[in-house]
Amino acid sequence: MATQKPYSRVVVTGMGVVSPIGNGLAELSQQLFAGVSGIKKIDAPFAEQLSCKLAAQANFDPAAHFSKHTYSMLDRTSQMALHTSIEAVKHAGLSVNETLQPRMGVYLGTGMGGASSVEEGYVRLFKDGASRLKPFTVLMSMNNAAASAIALEFQTTGPNQTFSTACSSSAVAIGEAARAIRHGYADVMLAGGAEALLTFGTIKAWEALRTLADEDQADVSRSCKPFSADRSGLVLGEGAAMLVLESLEHAQARGATIYAELAGYGSANDSGHITQPSVKGQAATMQAALFDADLPPQAIDYINAHGTGTVMNDATETAAIKQVFGGHAYNLSISSSKGAHGHLMGAAGALEAVIALLALNSNTLPPTINLAQPDPACDLDYVPNSAKTLPSLDCVMSNSFAFGGTGAALIFKKYALKN
Amino acid sequence: MSADNKASPSLEEISSVLAKMIADKMEIDLATITPSSNLTELGLDSLDTFDIIFNAEDHFKIKVPNDQVNIETLQDVTALVHKLILSQQK
């Protein structure tokens, strides 16, 4: 192994996605820019026992992608993570051979890992009175099961780690994966996140936090309203998104299509309150990403905001953007796509990174849907209700913040030979 | 337990139930499984074998002790299950 390895630039060469507004880049892109919502009343046997019946479910059938032997050993979270990884590698045109395997790793973010496997075990034990649990319970529940399944699929022996920082998990995973490449620990990383927590117990736990959106009486699909004065909370969603990150040298050597450069990553902590976001922490997160990218605030054209649709987040994030960007906050465009796909928790950062990349590659900004009532505390350009083209789009930021306080911001830039 | 009124299943019956479980789990043709089939050669690893034993415990209402070893073929599982049915059904 080389002892002196120069810092590498990191580029994105592949993406795979399963989301409440479409699986695969084409379907996601079409629905995203059209402002289609994937939020509905939850389709689940326990729906009537919920006081908040909204969810953003992904249309994902494991039997369509895997043998029964494979999918029956994987939690839904891991199934979606593995499927989107395979799609991302295909999209990248990457041949994962014996030369690459030791130089390729997997970093994955998930908030609750195998939530449905945990719950299934508890139901069996506490409700059905069973004396024993299924042999795969531990292996399906553990948070690192998804990253492990991906390494097994591709036989990668590079670094394999799982990040769990609640709603910023997968943004952290992507940022740390870029660092692993930059620092020479790997040439290629599969990085992203997966989350499937739409179980009875998990939704009940979220109901108790009183952060979930009220049902819009006229149209339930419009219940999540980021940055709108009448916003009432977030809607839980599920899905997965994985990126192929590659050192620029490796991507160039194999003639890969480069979708963007991952120019910067920053992470900071709110250190204020377990749930309430702070301007201080969010601003520090964005500043850290700009510093890492060595870019001035004026370089950012568009921010895919965390924008959960809670009263507190959206006002705080707006204030933090103003603090970091100053007057430029009024020039750049911001949108939250969560009104359409809900909050994917541990997978949110990865899905929104893909969305930021789709924006960058089409010069089109996704809309903030359901923004009907401007809020004086949210007075920036949120690309309200319909997508906007921006031919000069060059550099985008994707924000993720979290319960527990860990924020992560990613900066993607159109790839140019000169930096 | 449950077998007061009916005879314990025969080795053939046990073998047939287990073969179906294996065929279903591994998605292989039932006709390719014989009593002497080696589980590893059928594609089962140790976890798959635990899973088959778990399902057999449910089906036959038995409890397989943790120290069972030397299970290599379908015949071995069949014999184990048969022995446990006889010793555990009361």
Side-chain angles (χ1 to χ4, degrees):
Chain A
M1 192 171 286
T3 49
Q4 291 283 316
K5 199 161 168 70
Y7 274 49
S8 301
R9 289 168 71 184
V10 178
V11 293
V12 181
T13 55
M15 292 167 261
V17 66
V18 165
S19 89
I21 51 168
N23 302 340
L25 296 175
E27 195 177 80
L28 170 63
S29 190
Q30 194 260 322
Q31 309 252 64
L32 172 74
F33 293 121
V36 173
S37 170
I39 291 169
K40 297 188 181 99
K41 285 208 178 177
I42 191 167
D43 175 17
F46 51 79
E48 288 313 309
Q49 292 161 271
L50 298 173
S51 53
C52 177
K53 300 179 172 61
L54 299 169
Q57 293 175 284
N59 178 17
F60 177 77
D61 174 13
H65 308 292
F66 303 116
S67 72
K68 185 178 174 191
H69 181 245
T70 299
Y71 76 70
S72 62
M73 288 176 62
L74 297 172
D75 186 89
R76 184 168 172 82
T77 299
S78 297
Q79 292 165 358
M80 295 194 296
L82 182 58
H83 172 67
T84 52
S85 294
I86 293 168
E87 291 296 303
V89 166
K90 266 190 227 160
H91 184 228
L94 188 66
S95 158
V96 185
N97 55 30
E98 285 176 7
T99 313
L100 178 57
Q101 280 158 347
R103 296 290 301 158
M104 178 165 167
V106 181
Y107 280 8
L108 188 131
T110 185
M112 299 191 65
S116 54
S117 298
V118 174
E119 191 153 320
E120 196 187 316
Y122 285 158
V123 167
R124 209 182 145 89
L125 203 58
F126 299 141
K127 184 161 174 265
D128 301 343
S131 61
R132 67 220 209 294
L133 294 179
K134 292 205 295 194
F136 296 126
T137 303
V138 170
L139 309 176
M140 292 170 72
S141 302
M142 60 190 197
N143 267 29
N144 61 324
S148 167
I150 297 164
L152 285 169
E153 169 72 21
F154 293 105
Q155 296 290 297
T156 56
T157 53
N160 187 291
Q161 298 177 14
T162 299
F163 296 83
S164 193
T165 58
C167 312
S168 58
S169 300
S170 52
V172 169
I174 292 168
E176 295 295 334
R179 283 186 179 165
I181 294 171
R182 261 203 233 165
H183 293 202
Y185 308 145
D187 295 322
V188 179
M189 293 292 291
L190 265 166
E195 196 78 76
L197 45 55
L198 297 173
T199 68
F200 184 42
T202 308
I203 298 174
K204 276 286 170 195
W206 276 93
E207 275 180 0
L209 268 172
R210 299 182 183 279
T211 53
L212 299 182
D214 300 331
E215 277 178 34
D216 184 300
Q217 294 305 317
D219 180 355
V220 289
S221 78
R222 305 181 66 85
S223 299
C224 180
K225 309 166 193 282
F227 300 108
S228 189
D230 58 348
R231 66 189 181 275
S232 62
L234 60 88
V235 173
L236 295 172
E238 61 169 0
M242 294 297 291
L243 311 183
V244 174
L245 302 181
E246 219 168 331
S247 73
L248 177 60
E249 298 75 24
H250 193 274
Q252 282 175 327
R254 67 182 189 90
T257 303
I258 293 172
Y259 295 101
E261 176 168 6
L262 203 173
Y265 156 61
S267 180
N269 203 66
D270 281 337
S271 304
H273 184 276
I274 185 76
T275 58
Q276 287 169 20
S278 76
V279 173
K280 176 184 70 171
Q282 296 197 350
T285 299
M286 288 183 265
Q287 267 153 355
L290 287 166
F291 179 80
D292 188 54
D294 197 20
L295 289 170
Q298 293 74 23
I300 303 295
D301 303 308
Y302 165 71
I303 298 174
N304 186 284
H306 188 55
T308 55
T310 62
V311 171
M312 188 65 93
N313 175 81
D314 297 358
T316 305
E317 189 169 6
T318 298
I321 289 169
K322 287 179 190 172
Q323 183 171 314
V324 171
F325 291 90
H328 184 61
Y330 293 88
N331 300 330
L332 54 73
S333 296
I334 300 159
S335 64
S336 167
S337 40
K338 285 192 176 76
H341 55 63
H343 195 336
L344 269 62
M345 301 287 141
L351 173 62
E352 289 158 35
V354 168
I355 286 172
L357 287 159
L358 290 174
L360 198 60
N361 279 274
S362 63
N363 293 329
T364 310
L365 308 180
T368 301
I369 63 170
N370 311 328
L371 208 176
Q373 296 180 28
D375 176 358
C378 302
D379 60 346
L380 301 176
D381 170 19
Y382 303 100
V383 195
N385 304 313
S386 17
K388 184 168 89 177
T389 52
L390 185 66
S392 63
L393 187 61
D394 179 59
C395 194
V396 302
M397 177 182 272
S398 181
N399 281 345
S400 296
F401 303 113
F403 282 0
T406 301
L410 299 166
I411 296 175
F412 297 101
K413 198 174 185 318
K414 279 187 185 165
Y415 167 66
L417 273 175
K418 281 199 193 169
N419 197 6
Chain B
M1 286 241 177
S2 61
D4 291 343
N5 301 323
K6 65 176 183 190
S8 297
S10 67
L11 281 169
E12 289 72 24
E13 286 163 340
I14 295 168
S15 183
S16 152
V17 169
L18 292 172
K20 281 197 192 97
M21 284 179 183
I22 293 169
D24 180 55
K25 177 174 179 60
M26 306 307 291
E27 294 184 290
I28 51 180
D29 184 356
L30 185 59
T32 63
I33 305 176
T34 68
S36 61
S37 292
N38 181 292
L39 300 183
T40 308
E41 283 165 15
L42 290 175
L44 283 82
D45 64 15
S46 60
L47 286 170
D48 294 322
T49 306
F50 290 161
D51 204 38
I52 295 295
I53 289 175
F54 177 85
N55 290 328
E57 287 184 308
D58 268 359
H59 186 92
F60 295 108
K61 312 270 187 284
I62 53 171
K63 194 167 186 321
V64 178
N66 281 336
D67 57 358
Q68 288 305 321
V69 285
N70 295 331
I71 292 172
E72 287 177 7
T73 63
L74 173 57
Q75 234 156 6
D76 295 341
V77 191
T78 306
L80 172 67
V81 169
H82 188 249
K83 187 184 82 179
L84 291 171
I85 290 173
L86 292 180
S87 65
Q88 293 181 7
Q89 276 189 351
K90 294 189 178 79

